[in-house]
Amino acid sequence: MVSYVIKRIAESIPTIIIGITLTFLVIHLSPGDPGSRFMDPSQPSEYREILQNRFGLNDALHIQYIKWLKQVLFHFDFGNSFYNGKPASGMVFSALRPTMLLAICSLIFALIVGIFLGIIAAVYRDALPDRILTAKMMFFFSTPSFWLGIMLLGIFSIKLGWFPASHLTSLYHDQLNWSGRFADYVHHLILPVITLGLPLSATFYRYIRTGMIEALESEYILASRARGLSVSKLLFHYSLKNSLIPLISVLGITIPALLSGALVVEVIFSLPGLGRTMVSAVFSRDYPIILAASTLAFVTVIVGNLLADVIYSMVDPRIRIKTQGVL
Amino acid sequence: MQFNSPPLLEVKDLCISYRKGGISSSIKGPVCAVKGVSFSVKPGETYAIVGESGSGKTSIAMSVIGFLRPLTGTIFFMNKNIWELDRSGLRRLRSNIQPVFQNSGASLNPRMSAGKIISEAFHAIVDEHEKEKALIDLLRSVGLDREILRRFPHELSGGQKQRLNIARALALKPRLIILDEPLSSQDLSTRAQLIHLLSSFKKAYLLSYILISHNLSLVRLISDRIAIMKQGVFIEEGATEQIINNPSNNYTKVLIEASNIKNVKTG
Amino acid sequence: MKGLINILHSDRSLQLGVIIISVICLFSILGPLLSPYHYNTQNLSESFQRPSWSHPLGTDFFGRDLLTRLMYGGRITLTVAFSATLFAVIIGTIVGLASGFIGGWLDRILMRLVDILLGFPKLFVILLLVGMGYTSLGLVVTFLALFSWMEIARIVRSDVWVAKEQLYVKSAEALGLRRRRIIFRHILPNITGPLIVSTVLLISSLILIESSLSFLGLGVQPPNASWGTILNEGRVDPVGAWWISVFSGIIIVTCVIGFNLIGDGLRNILDPKTGKKT
């Protein structure tokens, strides 16, 4: 197991290097330069030179790249933000926390909802509950989170005023005791988590429903039913266990999607997360921030994938051999 | 039969292994399906390999057609080592060895009509008229009606499908046809017809067959020599009558008893 | 044609999906021709009007008729989604065929590439590309395609893997047919089923991605407008001018549901085991 994890980590390093190199190239080869963006057009062009020099944008591209990569690899230094001069790595890391909070809560929410409803649908297969759930889930599966988010925001925050419309915490958050802080988080996170989690739960729902139906119809389940095992035991112990395995394999694919979804949700609910940082950095051409944010996004996805694979291979040892064969 | 002529196919010390699951297989070591098998087939001869399923007979067939690279050993066909040929060389040689598989349905592309399937086999003939004529002749010789050309495989009976497979194999005028359990999924009357068909072609075209089967009673009707295979090795080999009437190996005796040959009068 | 109608009748969700998508296509193609308004003519005196007889879905900040804009938006959204899907399917099929049929080192390299690209959070990457100034419609389509072909390639590869071992392919190989012929006449026609299903599902996921991009203000740029762009315009005031976000959202959801229904229906027909009972 340990050697497997080490192998996977070693394999992911080229992915990260390729990813950040491409990001670097895209940014530096794109039309327009940050210098002119920060400059009053009426100023003499020497100012532009000074600015460019200060940002280190006047060197040849490969020199810039090597300098940058050295700093990143050996000092974990992505440079300072063009805007406020703070270190990019620090800014991005503090943005990662809300994103992780949002993503993990949404994942848990989606898993609970998806598994629970999937079981119900499978048990009442083709009966009314199944048909209603399947139609509902088709709706959520097809609903873009940005629309769901705006609708929830419009109805529950702006119109009814039940939930805050932006930010992760209230202004007076620091003055609260720990239970108050927790409640404050929950209050702020409910709408974003539903927004991100509901469409995702539809995906899980489908897997669980199909898996459970297959498991419930399989011969060994029918045989154990004939032997008189209780239905609830069958349901949870045998069928669910078997239908969870494919679900774990989707988790790996879900993680990049989760991060992309979090980006949109953070923009809608003005959460100070990685996605929102990325979007505003892209709009303002804050190169160090863009690079740090996308690097962190790649790393997060890879670590997430790795975790999913490790869990997967722990649950089902047959798979470990298979994935190794494929890679 | 030309017993003095040089062999058409010569297989020496053939070992075939399946590697399972890529990299991780090295831990378990290769699974050997065939362990050191040697035999030869002369022009016009029918050579049967008999054994239970999993004994490795199909692996030999796949290796001889060039689908399964052997671990060690050589396969000489028409004096060429087929596993030393490059891709185009192998492709040219292939027209001389044709397979007919057990599952007649699976060997026909479900999305192609019978006519397309068979005319594809005549890819060497460019002239359309000539192709048409050869096609009609071939169909007649395997006893298929022209009318089936428009049909798709799922619209054909099992016997028709297998005739189509045989026709396709014959189209290239091969020297050797490998019959992998060609009759075991057919009903009895179709079997008899197909056996008759196969033996008539053998005489007409001086064809050689490698007949792979688990059924000794079927094999003895058309084969000249028989090899008995068990767990990847040939345990007995000899002329048909010798094997049937005078088996030296216990396993062969079991097979003979199982196929009830003693009760059937030789015709 | 008769076969097509039979297929349509055999599955309810397929039927429903085809109806939805046909209506949306007609709405987008013919609608603008029948509308008395132009999608981009501003009329500030009619700014933010509620739905009424003259403007069935209301107007936006610039007084433009929302219904007309949604019709035009449909043209853009569907064009972007269809053309990106087409590119992605072409790339994915070629890669999948090459990887599956030729195998060996080529397969290892291509699948490694697929793994790497699948690991990228799509929206981050496309956002970055578009945000860096590559905003023309053609480039947006290209970026969408470049980051969406991987699933298709995987599906094609594994199907080729299965098809390659089929006896009819072995028989064709034994006939000494050329590789190209075997791939295009024997393998490709037999894997089209799953390919069509994933193509339809890809259309719906690309509509969602394009809408997200445009929603963030980075996809389709004004004066062009896709459904996502219009939804973004509604974000200014989701309560006061609710009709903009509600209606543009509804049409996106309906369209995506339509494609998903078609995809599900086709999958049920091709593989009745995984779907609902018929």
Side-chain angles (χ1 to χ4, degrees), chain A residues 11-12 14-15 18-20 22-23 25-31 125-126 130 134 138-139 141-147 150-151 153-155 158-159 206 209-210 213-214 217 253 256-257 259-261 263-264 267-268 274-275 278-279 281-283 285 287 290 293-294 297-298 301-302 305 326-327, chain C residues 107-108 111-112 115-125 127-134 151 154 157 201 204 207-209 211-213 215-218 228 231-232 234-235 237-239 242 245-250 252-254 256-262 264 267 272-277:
Chain A
E11 274 175 347
S12 57
T15 313
I18 292 173
I20 62 175
L22 286 180
T23 316
L25 287 177
V26 166
I27 289 174
H28 285 264
L29 293 176
S30 66
R125 189 188 173 186
D126 292 330
D130 179 29
T134 302
M138 182 58 144
F139 176 77
F141 185 68
S142 310
T143 303
S145 51
F146 51 86
W147 187 57
I150 288 191
M151 290 296 110
L153 186 81
I155 297 168
I158 300 176
K159 188 97 184 165
R206 291 178 147 206
R209 182 180 173 273
T210 322
I213 285 175
E214 255 172 35
E217 281 180 353
I253 317 165
L259 216 57
S260 295
L263 187 150
V264 176
V267 171
I268 297 173
L274 195 58
M278 174 85 176
V279 174
V282 164
F283 274 116
R285 301 201 164 232
Y287 288 2
I290 298 175
S294 21
F298 294 149
V301 167
I302 284 165
N305 263 324
V326 170
L327 288 172
Chain C
D107 177 44
R108 276 199 292 279
M111 284 306 115
R112 195 85 201 93
D115 283 344
I116 290 176
L117 285 178
L118 276 178
F120 287 171
K122 247 188 229 180
L123 205 55
F124 269 79
V125 180
L127 180 91
L128 177 74
L129 287 164
V130 179
M132 283 296 115
Y134 303 102
E151 282 96 345
R154 273 196 172 169
R157 173 180 175 270
L201 296 177
S204 74
I207 291 176
L208 285 181
I209 297 176
S211 308
S212 324
L213 265 184
F215 171 75
L216 293 171
L218 284 160
L231 184 55
N232 185 29
R235 229 180 104 202
D237 188 359
V239 176
W242 55 267
S245 11
V246 169
F247 292 128
S248 55
I250 286 177
I252 296 174
V253 175
T254 316
V256 173
I257 288 180
F259 282 114
N260 284 341
L261 283 172
I262 295 179
D264 276 5
R267 187 170 20 213
K273 194 180 69 198
T274 54
K276 284 181 288 184
K277 248 189 342 203

Side-chain angles (χ1 to χ4, degrees), chain B residues 67 87 91 94 98-99 101 103 106-112 116 120-121 123 168 172, chain C residues 166-179 181 185-187 189-190 192:
Chain B
F67 286 146
R87 215 170 47 168
R91 215 176 65 215
R94 267 188 178 153
Q98 287 297 307
F101 298 109
N103 191 334
S107 333
L108 302 170
N109 187 340
R111 311 229 166 207
M112 278 174 131
K116 281 244 175 67
E120 196 177 52
H123 59 87
R168 175 170 62 184
L172 292 168
Chain C
Q166 297 293 316
L167 289 177
Y168 58 82
V169 174
K170 292 280 176 205
S171 305
E173 259 181 87
L175 286 176
L177 297 180
R178 292 181 180 278
R179 261 188 187 182
R181 192 179 170 89
R185 297 299 296 276
H186 292 272
I187 292 182
N190 284 295
T192 42

Side-chain angles (χ1 to χ4, degrees), chain A residues 34-75:
Chain A
S36 45
R37 203 173 260 262
F38 287 90
M39 209 180 66
D40 186 344
S42 59
Q43 301 276 326
S45 62
E46 294 93 76
Y47 284 122
R48 189 169 170 273
E49 281 300 301
I50 294 166
L51 261 177
Q52 293 277 57
N53 265 331
R54 205 165 130 205
F55 293 156
L57 296 170
N58 279 345
D59 297 328
L61 190 62
H62 64 275
I63 295 176
Q64 284 187 46
Y65 175 66
I66 292 166
K67 259 191 194 168
W68 175 78
L69 198 63
K70 257 193 201 157
Q71 284 294 319
V72 170
L73 292 182
F74 299 118
H75 306 284

Side-chain angles (χ1 to χ4, degrees), chain B residues 46-65:
Chain B
T46 301
Y47 188 85
I49 302 174
V50 179
E52 57 195 5
S53 62
S55 58
K57 40 195 176 40
T58 299
S59 303
I60 296 180
M62 286 306 199
S63 233
V64 171
I65 319 170

